[in-house]
Amino acid sequence: MRKGIILLLVPLFLSGTGITVSAAKKRLTMRDMLAFRLVSSPALSRDGRRVAFVVAEADFQESRYRTDIWVVETDGGKPRPFTRSAEDESMPRWSPDGRWLAFLSNRPARAPEARQEEEERRPKNQVWLMPSDGGEAVQLTNAEEGVIAYEWSPDSRTIIYLTREALPKPERERRERERRQKFDAVVEEKERYRREFWSIEIETKKATRLFEGDYGIGEFDIAPDGKRIAYATNYTGKVDDGKKFDIWVFSIEEGKARQVTRRPGGERSPRWSPDGRQIAFLAPQLSDIPYSQSEVFLVSAAGGDLQEVTRAFDRGIEGFRWHPAGRDLYGLAALGTETHILRVPIEGGSPEPITRGALVVSAFDLSADGRTLVYVGEDARSLPDLWLLRTGSDGVTRLTEMNPELREFEIAEQEVIRWRSVDGWEIEGVLTKPVGYEPGKRYPLLVAVHGGPHSRVVNAFRQYYNFQIWAAHGYAVFAPNFRGSSGYHGAFDIANRRDLGGKDFQDIMTGVDHLIRIGIADPDRLGIFGGSYGGYMTNWAITQTDRFKAAVSMYGIFNLITDFSNSYLPSWEPDYLGAYYWDDLDIYIRRSPFAYVKNIKTPVLILHGEADPNTFISNSKEMYAALTHLGKTVEFVRYPREGHGFRELSHRLDEVRRCLDWFDRYVKGETKMEYGLEEWVPAGDWVFEVTAVNSNVAYPGYATEGTLIEVSLMFKSTSRESQSLELIIERDIVVVDDQGNALAPRGVPVEMGGARALVLGGGRFIAAVAAGEATTYVPLRLTFDVPKGRQAVRLRVRDFPVVNLQARWRELARP
C-alpha cells in the first residue's frame, strides 16, 4: 500500500483552553548579534572637525553586510549617513583642502563601451566624490578593472589610484567567445595581471597612467611633495609569497621606480615621514619566520641601512601612523588580550601609552596638527564605536553609540584569566561565564580555539566565535591564548614552531584543568571547537584525549600533507614545521590528526566552506571519510560559496544553530525541545516540518474579527518497516498564542475549481507506509483563527517537540 492521508471531517467548535507561559528574559540570539551595526575605518578631516567612518549593517534578505559612509562632528552632534545606496561604500578619504570626501563604491554607473556587449558582472569599485558638506555623489574614476586602493595628492587636485591592467578589446572578445563555447581550460598560475598606478584630475576627470608595475603591488603611500609613491610588492601577486615583499619608490616626474629595502623577509605598510626623507614600514622581527613579532623599521627614501625603531619594545605592532611633527609614530600595539595606541619615539626610548584600560582599539586617525585623535574602541561589554582624544584635555569623548539597543540584552560576565602550563609558563585567556552565573556552581565548558596560530583572542564583546551566544545558552566559554599566539613577547610568538599540537595543546588542557580546579567547569561536560588552526587543534585534541564530549571542527587541518598540497598558502607548513614533507616526512605524519584517527571517540561536527582556498575542503572530506568508515559519530556540513570562514549571514545563522544543537545533545545531554520553521521535528519513527505559515488569509463566507493563519505541514516516516501515524486534529494539533491559550484548528483549507474554501471541523489524520516502500511525503494544511490582538507563537503536535512559528531556523539561531 502507498503512504496516504485520510481526513474524517466532523463539525468542530472548540474554545481555547488557557495555558500559562512565563516570560523569559531577553537574551542574545545569533540574529541579534549579526544585526548590530559595526563601525570601522575612521577618517579624520585635516582640521579635526569631522570624522567619516564606515558602518556595516546586516541585510538579511541578501544574506550579507552592506556598508555605508557616515559622518560625525567632533564638537558634538549625532552621527548621520553620508551615503546611502543598495551597494557598498568603503575607504573614506577627505581631500587635504577639506572640500571633498572621496570613497570607493561598487554602485552601478556608466560602463566603458568596450564592455557593453559582455556578460553582466557586478560593478567593480570606483572612486566617487561628494562635497564635504553633503550633496550628490559623482563617479570620478572609470577604471576598466576597478580601483584597488587610492590616495589624495597633497594639492587636492588629483587622486592617485591602483588598478589592474585591462586586456585589449580583441583579447577580451576572444576570451568571451571561448567562454561561451566552453573552451575555458585554466592553466595554473598563467593568468596573471600587472598592477598599474593612474592619476585622475578632479576638475577634468582626465585619467593618466603613471606606471605599469609588476603583479604584486599592494599598499602604497604618496610622499608629502606629491612627486613620489612608496609601495610594497612581492613581485608575483601570489598570496603565498609573503616573504618576498620589498619597499620601492616610484618617481612620478622620472617615471622610474627603485628598490629601497633588500632585507630578507617581507616588508609592508610603507609610510612617508612628514618631511619626505624617510619611510617607515612593518616587517617580522626574524626575517625567515613570517609570524615572528612585527616590528617598525625606518629606511631613507634613497635606500640604505635600516633602523629598527621598536627593537626595545617586546610586543608586536599591528599598524601605525606618523605624528605630523615627525618625531614620533603612533602605533597599534597588541598587548595580550588588549590593543592600545602607543606613542613610539623615533630616536628610541620606551613607548608611551595613549589609550588605557581594558580596551581593544581596531583603527585610529590623526588631524593635520596632531592635536586631535579619533579611534574605534570596544571592550567586553560594548561594540565598536568612535572615541575622541584632544591634546591638553582630560579623558576621552564618545562620538557615537551605534547600538543603543545593546542595553536591552543580558550580557555575560567576561574576564581575563591566567594559569601555569606544564613547563611553568604563564598563559592567559578569556573566560566568558554563563548568563546568570552562580558562584560555586559548575557549568558545561566550551573551549574556543583561535586560528593562526599567530593570532589571539581579545577581551571584547564582539568575537567571530560569539562567546556571548554560548553564554546565553548556559555555557561557560574558555578561549586560551596558547603559546604561538600574538600579543605577547617575541619568544612566545614562535614557541610552537616544530611543536604543533605539543605544548600549545598542553597550554589549553592545563587551562581547562585550572577552570575545573577553581570550580567553574564541569569535568564531565566539556566541548571544544575552533576554525582554521583552531580546527586543527580541535581535530588534534580529540585524537589525544577523550575528555571532550563533543567537538566542532570548522575548516580545520586534518592532514598536513594534504593541506600543504591544496592550500594557496602552502608555505604555512614548512614555516611552522621547519621542513617540506619530502625532507622530513616524519614530522608531517606525527603532527597530523589523521595519524591518530582511530583514537577518536568524541562525536564531531565538521563545517567547511566549499570555496576555501586556504584550508582546502579536502581536509574535512578526509576526516569525514575516515570517521564514517570507523563507525564514529560524525556529521559533515558544507557551505557553498564560502571561503576561509563563513561570511553569508544565513550561513552564520545556520552554523550557530547546528553547533548549539550538537553541544546541547552531546555535552549537556539534552534533547531538543523546540524547533523552528523548516526544521524536521522528530518523534519515534516519524518526522514533520512546518513548511509555511501564511497570515491574513480569507475565505468566502467565513467572517472573523481575528487573524486567520494557514499552517502547512509535511510528514514522513524514517523507518523501513510498516508504520502508521494517527492524529485527532482538534485535539492533537494546536497553536498556542502569546497569552498561552491553545487554539484548535478551525478547519482545512481547500481549492476547488480555482476557488478557495475552508472546510470547517476536525477529524482524524492518518499517514501510513508499507515496509520497504520508497520514502514519500504526506502533506497537511490547517487553518487557525487567532483572536484579535494576539499572535500565534507555537505549534504543538502530539508526541512531537513544539515548533516556534516565529523562528525560521535560517533567521534565528534560537528563539
Side-chain angles (χ1 to χ4, degrees), residues 444 446 470 473 475 524-526 549-552 603-605 633-635 657-673 675 679-680 682 814:
L446 300 181
W470 314 113
H473 288 84
Y475 291 97
D524 296 322
R525 293 186 294 171
L526 303 176
K549 303 303 180 184
V552 178
V604 56
L605 171 65
T633 302
V634 61
E635 187 172 304
R657 178 187 68 90
R658 292 181 187 277
C659 291
L660 277 170
D661 289 347
W662 196 261
F663 287 132
D664 284 353
R665 186 189 316 172
Y666 294 109
V667 174
K668 288 184 178 179
E670 294 180 353
T671 302
K672 189 173 179 179
M673 300 303 296
Y675 288 75
E679 282 192 279
W680 287 105
R814 281 294 176 88

mmCIF file of all heavy atoms in Angstrom, residues 444 446 470 473 475 524-526 549-552 603-605 633-635 657-673 675 679-680 682 814:
data_model
loop_
_atom_site.group_PDB
_atom_site.id
_atom_site.type_symbol
_atom_site.label_atom_id
_atom_site.label_comp_id
_atom_site.label_asym_id
_atom_site.label_seq_id
_atom_site.Cartn_x
_atom_site.Cartn_y
_atom_site.Cartn_z
ATOM 1 N N PRO A 444 28.736 23.524 32.080
ATOM 2 C CA PRO A 444 29.357 22.939 30.886
ATOM 3 C C PRO A 444 30.303 23.955 30.264
ATOM 4 O O PRO A 444 29.988 25.142 30.176
ATOM 5 C CB PRO A 444 28.161 22.639 29.973
ATOM 6 C CG PRO A 444 27.054 23.519 30.460
ATOM 7 C CD PRO A 444 27.273 23.673 31.929
ATOM 8 N N LEU A 446 32.821 25.139 27.047
ATOM 9 C CA LEU A 446 33.234 25.021 25.659
ATOM 10 C C LEU A 446 34.593 25.705 25.497
ATOM 11 O O LEU A 446 34.763 26.860 25.885
ATOM 12 C CB LEU A 446 32.222 25.686 24.726
ATOM 13 C CG LEU A 446 30.798 25.144 24.766
ATOM 14 C CD1 LEU A 446 29.916 25.880 23.757
ATOM 15 C CD2 LEU A 446 30.774 23.642 24.506
ATOM 16 N N TRP A 470 26.897 31.526 23.286
ATOM 17 C CA TRP A 470 27.007 30.298 24.080
ATOM 18 C C TRP A 470 26.658 30.576 25.545
ATOM 19 O O TRP A 470 25.981 29.772 26.199
ATOM 20 C CB TRP A 470 28.420 29.717 23.980
ATOM 21 C CG TRP A 470 28.967 29.674 22.596
ATOM 22 C CD1 TRP A 470 30.011 30.394 22.111
ATOM 23 C CD2 TRP A 470 28.489 28.881 21.495
ATOM 24 N NE1 TRP A 470 30.216 30.102 20.789
ATOM 25 C CE2 TRP A 470 29.309 29.180 20.390
ATOM 26 C CE3 TRP A 470 27.457 27.958 21.352
ATOM 27 C CZ2 TRP A 470 29.120 28.581 19.144
ATOM 28 C CZ3 TRP A 470 27.265 27.360 20.113
ATOM 29 C CH2 TRP A 470 28.081 27.671 19.039
ATOM 30 N N HIS A 473 23.140 30.571 26.451
ATOM 31 C CA HIS A 473 22.534 29.246 26.488
ATOM 32 C C HIS A 473 23.141 28.355 27.565
ATOM 33 O O HIS A 473 23.086 27.121 27.483
ATOM 34 C CB HIS A 473 22.648 28.579 25.108
ATOM 35 C CG HIS A 473 21.747 29.186 24.085
ATOM 36 N ND1 HIS A 473 22.088 30.301 23.365
ATOM 37 C CD2 HIS A 473 20.492 28.854 23.708
ATOM 38 C CE1 HIS A 473 21.095 30.624 22.564
ATOM 39 N NE2 HIS A 473 20.113 29.773 22.752
ATOM 40 N N TYR A 475 26.364 28.042 28.754
ATOM 41 C CA TYR A 475 27.728 27.529 28.689
ATOM 42 C C TYR A 475 28.732 28.557 29.230
ATOM 43 O O TYR A 475 28.558 29.761 29.045
ATOM 44 C CB TYR A 475 28.108 27.210 27.246
ATOM 45 C CG TYR A 475 27.383 26.035 26.648
ATOM 46 C CD1 TYR A 475 26.256 26.227 25.852
ATOM 47 C CD2 TYR A 475 27.818 24.736 26.865
ATOM 48 C CE1 TYR A 475 25.587 25.156 25.285
ATOM 49 C CE2 TYR A 475 27.157 23.651 26.304
ATOM 50 C CZ TYR A 475 26.036 23.864 25.518
ATOM 51 O OH TYR A 475 25.376 22.798 24.963
ATOM 52 N N ASP A 524 32.770 16.628 33.467
ATOM 53 C CA ASP A 524 32.016 15.651 32.681
ATOM 54 C C ASP A 524 31.218 16.297 31.552
ATOM 55 O O ASP A 524 30.510 15.601 30.821
ATOM 56 C CB ASP A 524 31.054 14.877 33.592
ATOM 57 C CG ASP A 524 31.800 14.060 34.634
ATOM 58 O OD1 ASP A 524 32.866 13.503 34.290
ATOM 59 O OD2 ASP A 524 31.339 13.991 35.786
ATOM 60 N N ARG A 525 31.342 17.620 31.410
ATOM 61 C CA ARG A 525 30.609 18.308 30.338
ATOM 62 C C ARG A 525 31.541 19.319 29.659
ATOM 63 O O ARG A 525 31.445 20.518 29.868
ATOM 64 C CB ARG A 525 29.356 18.999 30.888
ATOM 65 C CG ARG A 525 28.282 18.029 31.385
ATOM 66 C CD ARG A 525 27.021 18.786 31.788
ATOM 67 N NE ARG A 525 27.231 19.632 32.947
ATOM 68 C CZ ARG A 525 26.339 20.532 33.394
ATOM 69 N NH1 ARG A 525 25.184 20.709 32.740
ATOM 70 N NH2 ARG A 525 26.604 21.265 34.468
ATOM 71 N N LEU A 526 32.445 18.782 28.848
ATOM 72 C CA LEU A 526 33.413 19.600 28.138
ATOM 73 C C LEU A 526 33.209 19.461 26.637
ATOM 74 O O LEU A 526 32.991 18.354 26.120
ATOM 75 C CB LEU A 526 34.841 19.178 28.478
ATOM 76 C CG LEU A 526 35.271 19.198 29.954
ATOM 77 C CD1 LEU A 526 36.693 18.660 30.089
ATOM 78 C CD2 LEU A 526 35.179 20.609 30.524
ATOM 79 N N LYS A 549 33.244 15.777 25.310
ATOM 80 C CA LYS A 549 32.017 15.039 24.978
ATOM 81 C C LYS A 549 31.509 15.379 23.583
ATOM 82 O O LYS A 549 30.695 14.642 23.015
ATOM 83 C CB LYS A 549 30.921 15.350 26.006
ATOM 84 C CG LYS A 549 31.307 15.033 27.437
ATOM 85 C CD LYS A 549 31.714 13.577 27.615
ATOM 86 C CE LYS A 549 32.099 13.285 29.060
ATOM 87 N NZ LYS A 549 32.582 11.892 29.219
ATOM 88 N N ALA A 550 31.961 16.502 23.016
ATOM 89 C CA ALA A 550 31.554 16.898 21.674
ATOM 90 C C ALA A 550 32.604 17.837 21.119
ATOM 91 O O ALA A 550 33.300 18.537 21.861
ATOM 92 C CB ALA A 550 30.178 17.562 21.681
ATOM 93 N N ALA A 551 32.711 17.863 19.785
ATOM 94 C CA ALA A 551 33.659 18.748 19.112
ATOM 95 C C ALA A 551 33.026 19.277 17.843
ATOM 96 O O ALA A 551 32.225 18.590 17.201
ATOM 97 C CB ALA A 551 34.950 17.999 18.787
ATOM 98 N N VAL A 552 33.394 20.504 17.491
ATOM 99 C CA VAL A 552 33.010 21.083 16.204
ATOM 100 C C VAL A 552 34.286 21.537 15.520
ATOM 101 O O VAL A 552 34.975 22.445 16.006
ATOM 102 C CB VAL A 552 32.036 22.259 16.349
ATOM 103 C CG1 VAL A 552 31.722 22.856 14.972
ATOM 104 C CG2 VAL A 552 30.745 21.822 17.034
ATOM 105 N N PRO A 603 32.011 12.620 19.544
ATOM 106 C CA PRO A 603 31.150 13.000 18.411
ATOM 107 C C PRO A 603 31.620 14.327 17.827
ATOM 108 O O PRO A 603 31.836 15.300 18.566
ATOM 109 C CB PRO A 603 29.766 13.126 19.044
ATOM 110 C CG PRO A 603 29.816 12.294 20.287
ATOM 111 C CD PRO A 603 31.225 12.415 20.782
ATOM 112 N N VAL A 604 31.794 14.375 16.507
ATOM 113 C CA VAL A 604 32.373 15.570 15.892
ATOM 114 C C VAL A 604 31.494 16.056 14.740
ATOM 115 O O VAL A 604 31.077 15.286 13.881
ATOM 116 C CB VAL A 604 33.824 15.320 15.423
ATOM 117 C CG1 VAL A 604 33.910 14.142 14.465
ATOM 118 C CG2 VAL A 604 34.405 16.565 14.796
ATOM 119 N N LEU A 605 31.206 17.349 14.773
ATOM 120 C CA LEU A 605 30.506 18.053 13.696
ATOM 121 C C LEU A 605 31.559 18.795 12.883
ATOM 122 O O LEU A 605 32.332 19.577 13.434
ATOM 123 C CB LEU A 605 29.482 19.025 14.275
ATOM 124 C CG LEU A 605 28.794 19.997 13.312
ATOM 125 C CD1 LEU A 605 27.925 19.239 12.308
ATOM 126 C CD2 LEU A 605 27.954 21.014 14.088
ATOM 127 N N THR A 633 30.643 8.732 15.453
ATOM 128 C CA THR A 633 29.551 9.698 15.379
ATOM 129 C C THR A 633 30.079 10.975 14.738
ATOM 130 O O THR A 633 30.906 11.677 15.333
ATOM 131 C CB THR A 633 28.988 10.003 16.772
ATOM 132 O OG1 THR A 633 28.529 8.785 17.367
ATOM 133 C CG2 THR A 633 27.833 10.994 16.682
ATOM 134 N N VAL A 634 29.620 11.279 13.526
ATOM 135 C CA VAL A 634 30.144 12.406 12.779
ATOM 136 C C VAL A 634 29.073 12.957 11.854
ATOM 137 O O VAL A 634 28.208 12.221 11.373
ATOM 138 C CB VAL A 634 31.397 11.998 11.957
ATOM 139 C CG1 VAL A 634 31.061 10.910 10.950
ATOM 140 C CG2 VAL A 634 32.013 13.205 11.276
ATOM 141 N N GLU A 635 29.124 14.252 11.636
ATOM 142 C CA GLU A 635 28.251 14.909 10.666
ATOM 143 C C GLU A 635 29.083 15.950 9.934
ATOM 144 O O GLU A 635 29.904 16.645 10.545
ATOM 145 C CB GLU A 635 27.064 15.572 11.370
ATOM 146 C CG GLU A 635 26.019 16.133 10.426
ATOM 147 C CD GLU A 635 24.772 16.602 11.167
ATOM 148 O OE1 GLU A 635 24.189 15.766 11.904
ATOM 149 O OE2 GLU A 635 24.400 17.787 11.025
ATOM 150 N N ARG A 657 23.239 27.576 14.854
ATOM 151 C CA ARG A 657 22.138 26.666 15.185
ATOM 152 C C ARG A 657 22.621 25.227 15.282
ATOM 153 O O ARG A 657 22.311 24.498 16.233
ATOM 154 C CB ARG A 657 21.041 26.779 14.132
ATOM 155 C CG ARG A 657 19.854 25.845 14.355
ATOM 156 C CD ARG A 657 18.896 25.893 13.179
ATOM 157 N NE ARG A 657 19.484 25.321 11.980
ATOM 158 C CZ ARG A 657 19.387 24.032 11.636
ATOM 159 N NH1 ARG A 657 18.754 23.186 12.431
ATOM 160 N NH2 ARG A 657 19.918 23.590 10.524
ATOM 161 N N ARG A 658 23.424 24.813 14.301
ATOM 162 C CA ARG A 658 23.915 23.435 14.296
ATOM 163 C C ARG A 658 24.879 23.184 15.465
ATOM 164 O O ARG A 658 24.843 22.120 16.085
ATOM 165 C CB ARG A 658 24.607 23.126 12.969
ATOM 166 C CG ARG A 658 23.665 23.099 11.779
ATOM 167 C CD ARG A 658 24.409 22.764 10.487
ATOM 168 N NE ARG A 658 23.549 22.904 9.334
ATOM 169 C CZ ARG A 658 22.702 21.969 8.904
ATOM 170 N NH1 ARG A 658 22.625 20.821 9.557
ATOM 171 N NH2 ARG A 658 21.955 22.169 7.842
ATOM 172 N N CYS A 659 25.741 24.161 15.733
ATOM 173 C CA CYS A 659 26.696 23.991 16.836
ATOM 174 C C CYS A 659 25.977 23.889 18.178
ATOM 175 O O CYS A 659 26.320 23.039 19.019
ATOM 176 C CB CYS A 659 27.682 25.146 16.855
ATOM 177 S SG CYS A 659 28.844 25.169 15.469
ATOM 178 N N LEU A 660 24.977 24.748 18.385
ATOM 179 C CA LEU A 660 24.214 24.690 19.632
ATOM 180 C C LEU A 660 23.516 23.350 19.791
ATOM 181 O O LEU A 660 23.544 22.743 20.867
ATOM 182 C CB LEU A 660 23.187 25.825 19.674
ATOM 183 C CG LEU A 660 23.696 27.185 20.142
ATOM 184 C CD1 LEU A 660 22.635 28.248 19.904
ATOM 185 C CD2 LEU A 660 24.087 27.145 21.609
ATOM 186 N N ASP A 661 22.891 22.882 18.724
ATOM 187 C CA ASP A 661 22.218 21.582 18.788
ATOM 188 C C ASP A 661 23.208 20.469 19.122
ATOM 189 O O ASP A 661 22.918 19.568 19.916
ATOM 190 C CB ASP A 661 21.515 21.276 17.464
ATOM 191 C CG ASP A 661 20.303 22.146 17.224
ATOM 192 O OD1 ASP A 661 19.853 22.823 18.181
ATOM 193 O OD2 ASP A 661 19.787 22.165 16.092
ATOM 194 N N TRP A 662 24.396 20.545 18.512
ATOM 195 C CA TRP A 662 25.408 19.492 18.713
ATOM 196 C C TRP A 662 25.894 19.475 20.165
ATOM 197 O O TRP A 662 25.964 18.424 20.799
ATOM 198 C CB TRP A 662 26.571 19.732 17.754
ATOM 199 C CG TRP A 662 27.478 18.550 17.584
ATOM 200 C CD1 TRP A 662 28.681 18.339 18.194
ATOM 201 C CD2 TRP A 662 27.249 17.419 16.732
ATOM 202 N NE1 TRP A 662 29.225 17.155 17.782
ATOM 203 C CE2 TRP A 662 28.373 16.563 16.890
ATOM 204 C CE3 TRP A 662 26.238 17.045 15.868
ATOM 205 C CZ2 TRP A 662 28.491 15.367 16.194
ATOM 206 C CZ3 TRP A 662 26.346 15.848 15.171
ATOM 207 C CH2 TRP A 662 27.462 15.020 15.348
ATOM 208 N N PHE A 663 26.234 20.657 20.674
ATOM 209 C CA PHE A 663 26.731 20.716 22.048
ATOM 210 C C PHE A 663 25.628 20.415 23.062
ATOM 211 O O PHE A 663 25.888 19.778 24.085
ATOM 212 C CB PHE A 663 27.351 22.083 22.324
ATOM 213 C CG PHE A 663 28.689 22.291 21.660
ATOM 214 C CD1 PHE A 663 28.953 23.449 20.942
ATOM 215 C CD2 PHE A 663 29.677 21.325 21.747
ATOM 216 C CE1 PHE A 663 30.183 23.645 20.338
ATOM 217 C CE2 PHE A 663 30.916 21.505 21.148
ATOM 218 C CZ PHE A 663 31.166 22.667 20.439
ATOM 219 N N ASP A 664 24.419 20.885 22.809
ATOM 220 C CA ASP A 664 23.316 20.561 23.720
ATOM 221 C C ASP A 664 23.110 19.056 23.814
ATOM 222 O O ASP A 664 22.880 18.510 24.895
ATOM 223 C CB ASP A 664 22.025 21.236 23.246
ATOM 224 C CG ASP A 664 21.978 22.719 23.548
ATOM 225 O OD1 ASP A 664 22.887 23.204 24.247
ATOM 226 O OD2 ASP A 664 21.039 23.391 23.088
ATOM 227 N N ARG A 665 23.198 18.393 22.677
ATOM 228 C CA ARG A 665 22.940 16.950 22.649
ATOM 229 C C ARG A 665 24.041 16.161 23.327
ATOM 230 O O ARG A 665 23.780 15.255 24.132
ATOM 231 C CB ARG A 665 22.783 16.479 21.191
ATOM 232 C CG ARG A 665 22.361 15.012 21.066
ATOM 233 C CD ARG A 665 22.421 14.537 19.621
ATOM 234 N NE ARG A 665 21.863 15.505 18.691
ATOM 235 C CZ ARG A 665 21.940 15.380 17.362
ATOM 236 N NH1 ARG A 665 22.567 14.335 16.832
ATOM 237 N NH2 ARG A 665 21.413 16.302 16.574
ATOM 238 N N TYR A 666 25.304 16.491 23.012
ATOM 239 C CA TYR A 666 26.396 15.633 23.460
ATOM 240 C C TYR A 666 27.153 16.158 24.685
ATOM 241 O O TYR A 666 27.772 15.367 25.401
ATOM 242 C CB TYR A 666 27.376 15.396 22.306
ATOM 243 C CG TYR A 666 26.771 14.603 21.181
ATOM 244 C CD1 TYR A 666 26.468 15.196 19.955
ATOM 245 C CD2 TYR A 666 26.457 13.253 21.342
ATOM 246 C CE1 TYR A 666 25.899 14.474 18.927
ATOM 247 C CE2 TYR A 666 25.889 12.514 20.319
ATOM 248 C CZ TYR A 666 25.611 13.126 19.111
ATOM 249 O OH TYR A 666 25.039 12.408 18.096
ATOM 250 N N VAL A 667 27.142 17.462 24.931
ATOM 251 C CA VAL A 667 27.779 17.998 26.134
ATOM 252 C C VAL A 667 26.784 18.073 27.276
ATOM 253 O O VAL A 667 27.035 17.570 28.372
ATOM 254 C CB VAL A 667 28.392 19.388 25.858
ATOM 255 C CG1 VAL A 667 28.926 20.000 27.151
ATOM 256 C CG2 VAL A 667 29.522 19.280 24.841
ATOM 257 N N LYS A 668 25.646 18.694 27.022
ATOM 258 C CA LYS A 668 24.635 18.790 28.072
ATOM 259 C C LYS A 668 23.799 17.532 28.199
ATOM 260 O O LYS A 668 23.172 17.297 29.232
ATOM 261 C CB LYS A 668 23.700 19.969 27.789
ATOM 262 C CG LYS A 668 24.308 21.346 27.991
ATOM 263 C CD LYS A 668 23.242 22.410 27.774
ATOM 264 C CE LYS A 668 23.759 23.807 27.996
ATOM 265 N NZ LYS A 668 22.696 24.820 27.748
ATOM 266 N N GLY A 669 23.754 16.720 27.147
ATOM 267 C CA GLY A 669 22.908 15.526 27.173
ATOM 268 C C GLY A 669 21.429 15.847 27.082
ATOM 269 O O GLY A 669 20.589 15.102 27.582
ATOM 270 N N GLU A 670 21.105 16.972 26.434
ATOM 271 C CA GLU A 670 19.711 17.424 26.351
ATOM 272 C C GLU A 670 19.074 17.007 25.036
ATOM 273 O O GLU A 670 19.724 16.960 23.986
ATOM 274 C CB GLU A 670 19.635 18.947 26.469
ATOM 275 C CG GLU A 670 20.044 19.477 27.820
ATOM 276 C CD GLU A 670 19.945 20.994 27.894
ATOM 277 O OE1 GLU A 670 19.686 21.627 26.848
ATOM 278 O OE2 GLU A 670 20.141 21.536 29.003
ATOM 279 N N THR A 671 17.802 16.730 25.118
ATOM 280 C CA THR A 671 17.006 16.503 23.923
ATOM 281 C C THR A 671 16.419 17.827 23.483
ATOM 282 O O THR A 671 15.887 18.580 24.293
ATOM 283 C CB THR A 671 15.866 15.504 24.198
ATOM 284 O OG1 THR A 671 16.434 14.273 24.657
ATOM 285 C CG2 THR A 671 15.039 15.260 22.944
ATOM 286 N N LYS A 672 16.489 18.091 22.207
ATOM 287 C CA LYS A 672 15.973 19.359 21.700
ATOM 288 C C LYS A 672 14.472 19.407 21.889
ATOM 289 O O LYS A 672 13.748 18.518 21.452
ATOM 290 C CB LYS A 672 16.341 19.518 20.218
ATOM 291 C CG LYS A 672 16.035 20.889 19.652
ATOM 292 C CD LYS A 672 16.594 21.013 18.246
ATOM 293 C CE LYS A 672 16.281 22.372 17.658
ATOM 294 N NZ LYS A 672 16.840 22.531 16.290
ATOM 295 N N MET A 673 14.000 20.476 22.538
ATOM 296 C CA MET A 673 12.583 20.579 22.888
ATOM 297 C C MET A 673 11.810 21.564 22.023
ATOM 298 O O MET A 673 10.587 21.574 22.055
ATOM 299 C CB MET A 673 12.452 20.999 24.364
ATOM 300 C CG MET A 673 13.088 20.026 25.347
ATOM 301 S SD MET A 673 12.441 18.344 25.197
ATOM 302 C CE MET A 673 10.732 18.611 25.679
ATOM 303 N N TYR A 675 11.740 23.599 18.037
ATOM 304 C CA TYR A 675 12.289 23.715 16.694
ATOM 305 C C TYR A 675 11.753 24.975 16.026
ATOM 306 O O TYR A 675 10.809 25.605 16.507
ATOM 307 C CB TYR A 675 11.917 22.481 15.863
ATOM 308 C CG TYR A 675 12.664 21.227 16.275
ATOM 309 C CD1 TYR A 675 12.329 20.543 17.446
ATOM 310 C CD2 TYR A 675 13.695 20.726 15.507
ATOM 311 C CE1 TYR A 675 13.019 19.400 17.837
ATOM 312 C CE2 TYR A 675 14.400 19.579 15.883
ATOM 313 C CZ TYR A 675 14.048 18.925 17.042
ATOM 314 O OH TYR A 675 14.738 17.800 17.416
ATOM 315 N N GLU A 679 12.400 23.104 9.897
ATOM 316 C CA GLU A 679 13.246 22.087 10.508
ATOM 317 C C GLU A 679 12.432 20.810 10.652
ATOM 318 O O GLU A 679 11.240 20.852 10.999
ATOM 319 C CB GLU A 679 13.711 22.520 11.900
ATOM 320 C CG GLU A 679 14.830 23.515 11.922
ATOM 321 C CD GLU A 679 15.393 23.644 13.332
ATOM 322 O OE1 GLU A 679 14.807 24.360 14.148
ATOM 323 O OE2 GLU A 679 16.420 23.000 13.615
ATOM 324 N N TRP A 680 13.075 19.671 10.412
ATOM 325 C CA TRP A 680 12.400 18.405 10.631
ATOM 326 C C TRP A 680 12.323 18.120 12.131
ATOM 327 O O TRP A 680 13.326 18.141 12.834
ATOM 328 C CB TRP A 680 13.125 17.268 9.924
ATOM 329 C CG TRP A 680 12.933 17.303 8.433
ATOM 330 C CD1 TRP A 680 13.838 17.688 7.505
ATOM 331 C CD2 TRP A 680 11.743 16.949 7.725
ATOM 332 N NE1 TRP A 680 13.301 17.606 6.246
ATOM 333 C CE2 TRP A 680 12.008 17.149 6.348
ATOM 334 C CE3 TRP A 680 10.477 16.496 8.101
ATOM 335 C CZ2 TRP A 680 11.061 16.896 5.361
ATOM 336 C CZ3 TRP A 680 9.536 16.248 7.118
ATOM 337 C CH2 TRP A 680 9.817 16.441 5.764
ATOM 338 N N PRO A 682 11.441 15.475 15.052
ATOM 339 C CA PRO A 682 11.342 14.018 15.181
ATOM 340 C C PRO A 682 10.491 13.569 16.363
ATOM 341 O O PRO A 682 10.409 14.244 17.395
ATOM 342 C CB PRO A 682 12.798 13.610 15.392
ATOM 343 C CG PRO A 682 13.361 14.750 16.191
ATOM 344 C CD PRO A 682 12.656 15.998 15.705
ATOM 345 N N ARG A 814 18.277 30.628 17.853
ATOM 346 C CA ARG A 814 17.404 30.082 18.883
ATOM 347 C C ARG A 814 16.301 31.090 19.153
ATOM 348 O O ARG A 814 16.508 32.290 18.987
ATOM 349 C CB ARG A 814 18.180 29.825 20.177
ATOM 350 C CG ARG A 814 19.005 28.548 20.140
ATOM 351 C CD ARG A 814 18.141 27.312 20.050
ATOM 352 N NE ARG A 814 18.899 26.110 19.922
ATOM 353 C CZ ARG A 814 19.347 25.403 20.951
ATOM 354 N NH1 ARG A 814 19.155 25.799 22.173
ATOM 355 N NH2 ARG A 814 20.026 24.297 20.758
#
